[in-house]
Amino acid sequence: GFAHLPCLVKYGNQMAEQALRKVEATGTVANMVDIFYKCPNCKQDYQNGILVEMKKANITFHKEKLMQPGADKISLAIESAELEKRLRNINGRNKNERDEGLKIVTKLLSISRELKQCDCLPIPMGAGMDEHIGDFFESCSDDHSLKRAKAFYEKARDAIVAWGGEYKLDRKGVDYKIKRVEAKLGGGSGNDRQVGKAAAVKLLQERYDYCVALGNDNDTITAGINLASVLHTSDHAIEAERLLDKLIVTSRRVHGSNHNQTQKCLSLLQAVKERWVILHSEQQWFEALKYKKNGKKCVIQGPIKEPR
């Protein structure tokens, strides 16, 4: 393991040197973002103070190496990863955020063209970029944006298919998004939404099982949180609660109690445990505390003043 921050920085510099030599030799862009932003042991993103210091180390490294062959390509790849990370957190329905998102999309497409011109855009990187752009346009919700989302999802799917079987689960994820957008464009009914949720649960369950089979605790926790979230919004609260109980134990063992992933599990578990019901005679929401007489009666508390 790595006990000190200087050790992490030294490791990052060594791995970045190797990646830069690979670029010089092959012309292929290496993943320089993970080197400075992810733990080499658990592959989890650095957080808080460590993340700040590793970002500084990343900037320092590239300033020193900027004049070397291949550094410009790596800088573009790093910029692309940062832009995609920001794009994933943008709400397209908010006008100010949407304007920012459109600028990011324009920049990402420019980077993509530049890397393609020198044959330096790995297929997984290009497919990931197209999928994230599709996610942004889907969040915008209007028909024009949904059509653009579908086009980018299809582009990502075609790239994944060309790449091969290793990305089978990623293809299923993109296929699901294409169907989801098609349902929105077709004015999907409530029944369509239920079918969509069932498909999402099935897909995320498969991804979770895949991570469990591989024995990768970090990926299992991330996949489990995504699955629990969809189970919760699909009215499978008990299954979500049981899964989160397991994930919390694993995350505390792997990451510790104060880690973001552990805290995310605890926060989601708290939300899952709040069973809300609407009392039609009052037209207000209440919290369900327990059921009696085989579920025929429900003990409630409330009303809830500020429903989610």
Side-chain angles (χ1 to χ4, degrees):
F2 296 84
H4 310 100
L5 180 60
C7 299
L8 289 171
V9 172
K10 183 178 180 181
Y11 173 84
N13 287 332
Q14 290 173 343
M15 293 298 101
E17 286 275 8
Q18 290 182 21
L20 193 54
R21 285 197 292 271
K22 181 181 177 183
V23 174
E24 294 169 13
T26 66
T28 303
V29 173
N31 187 350
M32 297 285 285
V33 178
D34 285 357
I35 291 172
F36 284 98
Y37 291 174
K38 287 183 182 290
C39 170
N41 291 330
C42 70
K43 309 304 179 188
Q44 185 68 17
D45 289 345
Y46 291 128
Q47 300 175 63
N48 307 324
I50 294 178
L51 176 59
V52 171
E53 294 303 319
M54 293 304 288
K55 279 187 174 183
K56 289 179 183 176
N58 185 22
I59 292 168
T60 300
F61 176 85
H62 284 91
K63 279 183 177 177
E64 292 175 353
K65 304 293 180 181
L66 199 57
M67 300 309 294
Q68 291 190 18
D72 56 335
K73 299 168 190 173
I74 289 180
S75 295
L76 283 173
I78 290 172
E79 184 181 3
S80 168
E82 289 286 348
L83 289 169
E84 286 178 60
K85 191 177 288 186
R86 172 60 189 145
L87 190 64
R88 289 199 296 270
N89 293 315
I90 283 180
N91 177 7
R93 284 186 288 271
N94 179 297
K95 186 184 181 307
N96 291 333
E97 290 191 24
R98 181 174 183 158
D99 290 344
E100 181 190 355
L102 290 170
K103 290 176 183 176
I104 290 175
V105 168
T106 301
K107 182 62 178 174
L108 283 172
L109 293 176
S110 173
I111 290 173
S112 175
R113 285 192 295 271
E114 193 167 343
L115 289 173
K116 280 180 180 176
Q117 283 175 359
C118 59
D119 199 25
C120 293
L121 184 69
I123 291 176
M125 179 180 168
M129 186 186 296
D130 289 332
E131 185 177 356
H132 293 144
I133 292 174
D135 291 339
F136 163 70
F137 280 120
E138 186 179 357
S139 78
C140 296
S141 297
D142 61 280
D143 281 0
H144 177 69
S145 296
L146 289 173
K147 288 174 183 175
R148 294 193 71 183
K150 184 184 176 187
F152 277 103
Y153 286 150
E154 288 174 340
K155 190 177 170 188
R157 179 199 57 197
D158 293 344
I160 293 168
V161 170
W163 187 247
E166 173 182 358
Y167 293 91
K168 201 177 292 182
L169 275 173
D170 292 321
R171 178 186 173 176
K172 286 186 178 181
V174 177
D175 281 338
Y176 163 71
K177 289 180 179 181
I178 292 171
K179 290 177 183 176
R180 185 174 66 195
V181 167
E182 287 174 342
K184 290 177 181 178
L185 285 168
S189 65
N191 185 56
D192 289 332
R193 286 191 289 273
Q194 285 304 112
V195 171
K197 285 183 177 180
V201 169
K202 183 179 178 182
L203 174 70
L204 292 171
Q205 181 71 59
E206 188 175 347
R207 186 176 293 276
Y208 173 73
D209 292 341
Y210 176 76
C211 293
V212 170
L214 284 180
N216 185 317
D217 286 331
N218 180 55
D219 287 350
T220 296
I221 293 165
T222 301
I225 290 172
N226 292 334
L227 173 59
S229 180
V230 172
L231 285 169
H232 175 39
T233 57
S234 303
D235 300 323
H236 293 283
I238 293 174
E239 292 98 318
E241 184 175 337
R242 288 173 179 167
L243 174 58
L244 286 164
D245 283 335
K246 289 167 57 178
L247 294 174
I248 288 166
V249 172
T250 304
S251 191
R252 279 179 172 149
R253 172 176 56 80
V254 174
H255 299 309
S257 296
N258 296 322
H259 194 276
N260 286 357
Q261 291 289 72
T262 308
Q263 293 300 312
K264 193 180 292 185
C265 289
L266 289 167
S267 176
L268 183 53
L269 179 62
Q270 183 178 354
V272 167
K273 284 185 172 180
E274 292 176 357
R275 311 278 203 265
W276 287 19
V277 294
I278 189 168
L279 192 61
H280 289 290
S281 61
E282 302 278 343
Q283 287 300 306
Q284 288 180 301
W285 287 96
F286 291 76
E287 183 179 357
L289 300 180
K290 61 180 177 180
Y291 290 93
K292 288 184 173 182
K293 296 187 177 181
N294 294 323
K296 293 180 180 179
K297 288 192 174 182
C298 179
V299 179
I300 62 175
Q301 173 179 284
I304 296 167
K305 293 182 179 179
E306 296 182 6
R308 291 190 292 270

